[in-house]
Amino acid sequence: MRGDVVPPGRLCCTLLGPLRVSRDSRPLELGPYKQRLLLAALLCRANTVLSVDQLIEALWPDGQPRTARKNLQVYVSALRKIMPDHIDHLPYGYTLVADAEESDLLRFEELTAAGRHAQHQGDRAGAAELLGRAVRLWRDRPLVDLLDSPFAAEESQRLTERFLAAYEDWAELEVETGRAHGLLDQLGELAGHHPFRERLVALHMTALDQVGGRRKALACFEAHRQFIARELGLDPSPYLRRLYREILLGESPASRPASAPTAAAPVGVRIRPAQLPCDLSDFVGRDKVVAELRAALTGAGPCPGVVLVSGPAGSGKTALAVHAGHLVADHFADGQVVCSLSHPDGTPRPWPEVLAELLRSTGLEIDPPAGEAAALALWRSWLAERQFLLVLDGATSEADVRRLLPGRSRSRTLVTTARRFGALECVHRVELDEFSSAEAGELLARVLGGPRVAGHEQSLDRVRELYGLSPAVVRALAAKLTVLGHLSLREYADQLVRLPAALDELRVGEACLHDGYRRFHQGLAPAQRAAFGALGALPAAPFDLARLQAVIDGVDGLSGPAQRVAEELLEAHLVSIADAGDEAEVVAHTVRYRIAPLAHRYAAALHRAATPPAR
């Protein structure tokens, strides 16, 4: 590992360039391509558990072979022989255990964090030394020998953006102290390879001017201006134009930082965006989840960049995101931006339309350029020096979420979705379920007053059996009782038991549970819609794969074994694994599934509508 000394006898894993593993400077043979790709995946997420499904997706992105799990076990076994005591198996996946002296990526992250901390403390010389050691660990494009793999290519791009951010921080400190001459070649090369990063262009111009290359600095600006106009139809940023004028007038900028200040006013925006809707004054429960979200969004959590809030329809995902967003809003200097990723009917919005809205909301009043690569490069470059809370609400596609995530940025992204998105990498996951009886009772008491919900436990048990106790159900119940002011909770629960089972019973004004499930159903993938409708043929009790297979046989749009269908239902939060307490007897070693009461009512309605009437 170049840049720092590795203790004798220690394993040395490098992926900031070609993937290499050595011990005592002796290279180790890493085996066939898929085995090396598996090692790369584990090293990129060292000390983090990767599920078996995530690893299979990384190794076989175009469809897994029938023997994928067995092959994965063979590769893991071989890697354990190469790296004893480093790869652990947990019930749900694998993790590679390493420290900063064994992984160049971990060492880079440690040095980068230490350098930025030193800079924040005012120790600019110490920061330059630490960041310089970090950037010298890079030997080539990360995982350059594995770029045929989509996973490796995506990881390489992600790591490259982190390197560029650290390099810019270091180069800025070097230029400030008059050491620009040694940076000219590499700055020019990097600015040429990454022309959308204006901070690199500004550093290159400043370095050229510092060593007496004023004409070259002005030519550098002109080349960048023409590129931006050709590719994006834009002018360079106000900062870069100001830097150009200062160099043109002979006012050397070498005495101040060359990075673009974040305080520069965004184009076309006069106010700091604060798009979070009004918080619920009667928000109740979720105390542990709210604390977890606050920690993750403010940088104290285990994976603070992206937080994924998932749960069934009606579980209060958006309300939780808004509530948590208000609690952390002051941590985001550039504001809070909220964007829905789906239409009001539940169908997904085209990502170019979403990206255009995000660009405008964050201060760039233009339409994205044609072509996905250029559009996303503009988005990530625009966010690189800014600090937003981005709330992406109602996501229906992993790909849409992945493409909209910032690259190097101090921004944080909070995503809500009714899917589990198991293959979405490096996110902090929060899964929601229905309210407990105590939480439901507290909300009803706040809305209706204590006397009308006295002795709510038995009444809520009846509601739970009929509809469940999701936040949507409890709020619909509160709205209904607000209208029916002459009834107590107990009296209305008794009435619900006597009424025919109907989704429309809890309709009040514009609030209707039926409409909510209709929108959710519309946004499902075709196979998930077909499977959901088939569930309506089952009773509400927990069921096993054999019963599921019986109702899906012959259903249009469904193929493959019941296990695959069950996984689709689990991914969409349409079913969950049944606890032993869900029924009196659970067959040993048999996985059983349960569907929430409200979801089952809607599925039954779909099934009845699709079943011809008996003659």
Side-chain angles (χ1 to χ4, degrees):
M1 185 183 299
R2 192 169 58 184
D4 280 271
V5 178
V6 179
R10 295 292 296 270
L11 203 68
C12 176
C13 306
T14 63
L15 61 159
L16 305 181
L19 178 65
R20 299 285 186 269
V21 178
S22 62
R23 191 183 297 275
D24 291 331
S25 300
R26 181 174 58 86
L28 302 181
E29 176 57 46
L30 301 181
Y33 181 84
K34 294 287 189 188
Q35 186 169 301
R36 288 186 288 124
L37 187 58
L38 171 62
L39 176 59
L42 292 169
L43 280 171
C44 285
R45 299 287 188 269
N47 305 314
T48 301
V49 178
L50 290 175
S51 70
V52 170
D53 289 341
Q54 286 176 303
L55 293 172
I56 288 176
E57 176 65 24
L59 268 60
W60 293 281
D62 298 324
Q64 65 186 65
R66 188 168 46 84
T67 58
R69 290 179 180 267
K70 185 173 181 179
N71 291 349
L72 178 64
Q73 292 171 352
V74 170
Y75 295 147
V76 169
S77 178
L79 289 176
R80 280 175 164 165
K81 293 177 182 177
I82 298 170
M83 308 170 66
D85 304 322
H86 279 76
I87 299 177
D88 290 343
H89 178 234
L90 287 83
Y92 47 92
Y94 295 92
T95 183
L96 187 147
V97 180
D99 58 34
E101 293 182 341
E102 295 171 319
S103 163
D104 60 349
L105 176 58
L106 294 179
R107 184 64 175 150
F108 169 79
E109 292 174 342
E110 181 182 82
L111 288 168
T112 301
R116 287 175 175 151
H117 178 73
Q119 188 172 11
H120 292 155
Q121 297 297 314
D123 181 9
R124 304 184 77 79
E129 194 272 332
L130 290 164
L131 290 170
R133 287 166 59 190
V135 300
R136 284 191 289 273
L137 291 171
W138 289 67
R139 297 164 294 120
D140 200 338
R141 187 175 175 185
L143 303 175
V144 66
D145 52 335
L146 298 173
L147 295 181
D148 290 341
S149 158
F151 170 82
E154 186 173 326
E155 285 298 295
S156 180
Q157 179 61 32
R158 180 179 70 87
L159 296 176
T160 297
E161 289 181 358
R162 291 166 67 177
F163 161 72
L164 290 171
Y167 182 89
E168 288 166 347
D169 290 344
W170 171 69
E172 178 179 300
L173 293 168
E174 292 292 291
V175 171
E176 280 182 6
T177 53
R179 294 194 290 266
H181 200 280
L183 302 176
L184 287 177
D185 289 344
Q186 191 173 24
L187 265 177
E189 182 180 344
L190 289 174
H193 288 162
H194 305 279
F196 289 106
R197 298 186 74 96
E198 283 204 343
R199 192 179 180 196
L200 278 176
V201 176
L203 283 164
H204 191 211
M205 290 171 59
T206 306
L208 286 167
D209 184 46
Q210 188 179 97
V211 299
R214 188 166 122 188
R215 289 185 179 180
K216 290 183 178 180
L218 297 175
C220 175
F221 172 86
E222 181 58 24
H224 177 73
R225 185 193 66 77
Q226 293 181 16
F227 172 82
I228 290 292
R230 182 174 65 252
E231 297 295 325
L232 305 180
L234 297 174
D235 290 328
S237 70
Y239 170 77
L240 209 61
R241 296 199 303 270
R242 186 168 63 250
L243 177 62
Y244 170 79
R245 288 194 300 270
E246 290 172 346
I247 294 175
L248 183 65
L249 296 173
E251 301 173 0
S252 174
S255 60
R256 67 172 188 276
S259 63
T262 58
V267 178
V269 166
R270 296 294 181 266
I271 60 172
R272 175 177 175 266
Q275 297 180 357
L276 287 169
C278 180
D279 194 10
L280 294 173
S281 60
D282 54 9
F283 187 93
V284 300
R286 313 291 199 199
D287 293 341
K288 291 183 179 179
V289 172
V290 169
E292 187 179 342
L293 283 179
R294 291 186 70 171
L297 291 171
T298 56
C303 186
V306 184
V307 179
L308 184 77
V309 177
S310 66
S315 57
K317 301 177 291 292
T318 300
L320 174 65
V322 170
H323 182 69
H326 279 286
L327 294 176
V328 302
D330 290 342
H331 290 267
F332 298 93
D334 292 303
Q336 319 101 46
V337 172
V338 180
C339 183
S340 176
L341 301 192
S342 53
H343 291 296
D345 64 358
T347 57
R349 295 174 63 192
W351 72 263
E353 174 186 307
V354 171
L355 183 59
E357 179 181 327
L358 285 170
L359 286 169
R360 288 192 297 270
S361 296
T362 54
L364 193 57
E365 290 284 351
I366 64 164
D367 292 326
E372 180 172 343
L376 296 181
L378 172 64
W379 167 240
R380 290 171 183 146
S381 299
W382 180 245
L383 286 187
E385 299 299 329
R386 292 168 175 82
Q387 188 178 29
F388 288 100
L389 173 62
L390 304 174
V391 180
L392 305 180
D393 189 38
T396 61
S397 162
E398 286 181 358
D400 284 346
V401 171
R402 190 178 286 110
R403 64 163 56 95
L404 292 173
L405 296 179
R408 182 261 183 182
S409 178
R410 293 174 296 150
S411 298
R412 297 289 180 262
T413 307
L414 178 55
V415 182
T416 71
T417 178
R419 279 75 170 168
R420 295 183 191 274
F421 287 170
L424 196 61
E425 307 88 350
C426 197
V427 298
H428 185 100
R429 298 178 183 276
V430 173
E431 290 198 3
L432 300 183
D433 204 345
E434 64 179 27
F435 275 156
S436 66
S437 293
E439 290 172 326
E442 181 183 354
L443 175 56
L444 290 171
R446 289 196 184 188
V447 177
L448 303 172
R452 293 186 65 193
V453 298
H456 61 76
E457 291 81 3
Q458 288 186 337
S459 302
L460 288 177
D461 285 344
R462 294 175 185 174
V463 175
R464 186 196 302 275
E465 291 175 7
L466 294 169
Y467 293 97
L469 286 181
S470 70
V473 167
V474 178
R475 289 202 172 272
L477 185 62
K480 192 76 172 183
L481 285 169
T482 299
V483 174
L484 303 176
H486 59 290
L487 294 179
S488 68
L489 173 61
R490 179 182 57 78
E491 292 167 333
Y492 186 61
D494 291 342
Q495 181 175 308
L496 283 175
V497 172
R498 295 192 299 270
L499 288 171
L503 282 168
D504 285 340
E505 167 56 27
L506 293 178
R507 173 189 289 275
V508 181
E510 297 180 355
C512 178
L513 295 176
H514 182 280
D515 292 342
Y517 256 93
R518 179 181 53 78
R519 289 191 296 270
F520 169 65
H521 179 259
Q522 185 67 26
L524 292 173
Q528 291 171 335
R529 282 202 298 270
F532 186 37
L535 290 179
L538 291 172
F543 57 90
D544 58 15
L545 288 177
R547 298 197 71 180
L548 179 62
Q549 187 70 60
V551 298
I552 65 174
D553 282 341
V555 174
D556 291 341
L558 289 180
S559 60
Q563 176 67 46
R564 181 67 58 83
V565 175
E567 290 175 1
E568 286 284 336
L569 293 169
L570 283 168
E571 198 280 333
H573 278 289
L574 292 168
V575 301
S576 58
I577 304 297
D579 296 326
D582 285 333
E583 53 183 341
E585 255 180 57
V586 175
V587 180
H589 308 301
T590 299
V591 177
R592 299 177 74 81
Y593 304 89
R594 64 179 293 271
I595 180 171
L598 188 61
H600 183 263
R601 286 179 182 275
Y602 191 80
L606 292 174
H607 180 71
R608 287 193 299 271
T611 303
R615 296 188 177 184

